[in-house]
Amino acid sequence: MLEDIQGQIAQLKRDFNDKFDTISTAEELEAQRIAYLGKKGAITGLLKSLGKLPIETRPQAGQLINELKNFAEKRLEDFRDILAEKQIENSIRNEGIDVTLPGNRRPLGRLHPLTLVLDEMIEMFIGMGFSVADGPEVETDYYNFEALNIPKNHPVKDEQDTFYTSDGFLLRTQTSGVQIRTMEKSAPPIRIIAPGKVYRSDEWDATHGPTFHQIEGLLVDEGVTMADLKGILTVFAQNILGNDIEIRFRPSFFPFTEPSAEMDVQCFACGGKDSVCPVCKATGWVELLGCGMVHSNVLKNCNIDPSKYSGYAFGMGIDRIVMQRYAINDLRLLYENDMHFLQSF
Ligand code: DAH
């Protein structure tokens, strides 16, 4: 008799397990529970039939049926947990959020080498008492040329050909026009720098482009001399390019300064040792800036009395300085936005 019960229990357990493989929803799970453990369920029925067994087999049969009941309850319970987890997973998937994925990292930006060097230069000049002045990139012929002592048909304008608009404006070729705008508005002592973009109708090559950056300097006061100019530019070069940088001043010509000079620095690429260096053309020197004492005509154009005041001015290409500073041998790298290049700063 006990064997019969044992056989029934084993069969029931197999059925119960087989059916489990087909369950995938809470409803199906509940139906399974009712079919086996409900009032009229198969396991419940087996328990009820216990009373019909001979007394001596009842305790052992009862224990076996209870084990089956416990097994079934545990499996139903476990599966309920699994279904609940699946439901959460499904709803996350349907909402399109997978909280286990790593987040979208935003790459940290950094400053362009031009901005890095410009910021450093501005800070340095501010430390020496200069303030920052600004002027428009779309200029008039007057501010860009005429007021700077460059008359209409002056040959210097050939070197600074630019983009003209049909209504008489031009894209400024130099930041020097800010000198005029500043002197018109304020009386000496004047001490400004003017950083900004300038334009020329130049083709791209390793050292030229149609757009580049300049920083202008102007100081007007009583008793200003060329020695002051040399002093400030020497301090500037040593600060930005290193204390042991070799510099030299060369006489030059600019219509808005008299006397005029250019300042060169020793070549960063070859140090003057390469007889075919493309950067310094084998001279060992790289031209960095133009400078001089503000021309009396320019002071007069701005209603400043040249018998009382004198001043110096300088103007330099920031791009050249960035190239010198980081030993970059092609200007175009600064404008191509190549991420590998930019990330190296
Ligand atoms: N504006 C000149 C240029 O673009 C540079 C320059 C030379 C500026 C001499 C000055 C200066 O202020 O005094 O080539």
Side-chain angles (χ1 to χ4, degrees):
M1 283 304 264
L2 188 62
E3 285 89 72
D4 288 352
I5 289 283
Q6 279 172 330
Q8 277 179 25
I9 288 173
Q11 182 61 44
L12 217 55
K13 195 170 176 179
R14 267 196 299 278
D15 286 353
F16 179 80
N17 281 335
D18 287 351
K19 287 232 181 78
F20 239 105
D21 294 339
T22 67
I23 295 175
S24 60
T25 66
E27 290 75 32
E28 287 164 358
L29 185 69
E30 180 60 7
Q32 170 88 334
R33 189 190 66 78
I34 291 169
Y36 287 87
L37 297 172
K39 264 186 198 153
K40 293 175 185 162
I43 297 174
T44 317
L46 204 58
L47 268 172
K48 278 184 189 158
S49 71
L50 213 53
K52 293 178 195 142
L53 292 178
I55 299 252
E56 62 280 12
T57 53
R58 274 185 213 167
Q60 227 184 326
Q63 195 192 339
L64 289 173
I65 299 169
N66 265 323
E67 275 170 21
L68 175 64
K69 191 179 168 222
N70 290 341
F71 167 80
E73 278 171 348
K74 172 96 173 50
R75 220 180 144 184
L76 286 161
E77 186 70 26
D78 288 351
F79 204 76
R80 200 167 293 134
D81 291 345
I82 291 172
L83 276 181
E85 261 172 43
K86 269 206 183 124
Q87 204 186 341
I88 292 171
E89 264 174 38
N90 279 343
S91 65
I92 288 174
R93 195 167 305 133
N94 292 340
E95 285 162 19
I97 299 168
D98 180 351
V99 293
T100 66
L101 278 175
N104 285 335
R105 269 168 198 263
R106 285 177 188 270
L108 259 193
R110 62 186 78 198
L111 294 175
H112 192 279
L114 270 165
T115 311
L116 286 173
V117 171
L118 179 60
D119 284 353
E120 208 178 298
M121 286 167 67
I122 291 175
E123 203 172 308
M124 197 207 85
F125 279 115
I126 285 178
M128 296 198 290
F130 288 75
S131 51
V132 178
D134 203 5
E137 289 174 22
V138 179
E139 255 304 5
T140 60
D141 191 86
Y142 179 76
Y143 286 107
N144 196 74
F145 294 120
E146 235 171 289
L148 288 161
N149 207 27
I150 307 170
K152 281 264 176 312
N153 294 313
H154 199 287
V156 135
K157 286 178 91 168
D158 284 350
E159 281 167 32
Q160 298 199 10
D161 193 15
T162 182
F163 305 89
Y164 289 84
T165 68
S166 52
D167 50 356
F169 291 95
L170 52 83
L171 293 186
R172 69 176 178 190
T173 61
Q174 48 188 354
T175 43
S176 304
V178 185
Q179 290 186 31
I180 307 299
R181 292 182 172 276
T182 305
M183 286 189 282
E184 277 180 352
K185 277 189 306 220
S186 40
I190 292 168
R191 199 184 280 216
I192 57 118
I193 51 164
K197 266 196 219 87
V198 300
Y199 305 84
R200 296 193 190 172
S201 59
D202 278 341
E203 298 286 335
W204 282 110
D205 69 24
T207 50
H208 295 89
T211 305
F212 56 101
H213 299 77
Q214 284 190 336
I215 195 165
E216 192 81 14
L218 171 72
L219 184 143
V220 183
D221 205 345
E222 288 179 41
V224 180
T225 71
M226 196 92 185
D228 300 313
L229 174 63
K230 268 190 93 171
I232 202 126
L233 290 178
T234 304
V235 170
F236 153 76
Q238 287 173 343
N239 259 291
I240 300 298
L241 299 173
N243 273 335
D244 44 3
I245 188 86
E246 292 264 3
I247 56 175
R248 74 172 184 191
F249 288 84
R250 229 172 350 100
S252 185
F253 170 78
F254 298 102
F256 38 93
T257 45
E258 181 60 33
S260 303
E262 277 174 76
M263 187 176 97
D264 300 337
V265 292
Q266 147 204 45
C267 178
F268 63 87
C270 74
K273 296 188 187 83
D274 182 352
S275 61
V276 291
C277 177
V279 176
C280 65
K281 313 267 180 326
T283 62
W285 296 96
V286 180
E287 175 196 321
L288 209 59
L289 57 86
C291 59
M293 300 306 290
V294 181
H295 198 288
S296 56
N297 287 350
V298 174
L299 292 175
K300 280 185 219 152
N301 286 340
C302 304
N303 287 321
I304 292 176
D305 180 0
S307 65
K308 185 167 181 207
Y309 295 107
S310 56
Y312 64 68
F314 56 85
M316 59 188 109
I318 300 168
D319 311 65
R320 287 267 173 89
I321 293 166
V322 174
M323 289 172 74
Q324 175 88 24
R325 169 72 173 270
Y326 296 114
I328 297 167
N329 59 11
D330 195 321
L331 172 85
R332 288 168 285 199
L333 285 165
L334 296 174
Y335 293 90
E336 283 168 352
N337 291 329
D338 179 307
M339 291 305 277
H340 290 295
F341 173 75
L342 294 176
Q343 275 164 358
S344 63
F345 293 91

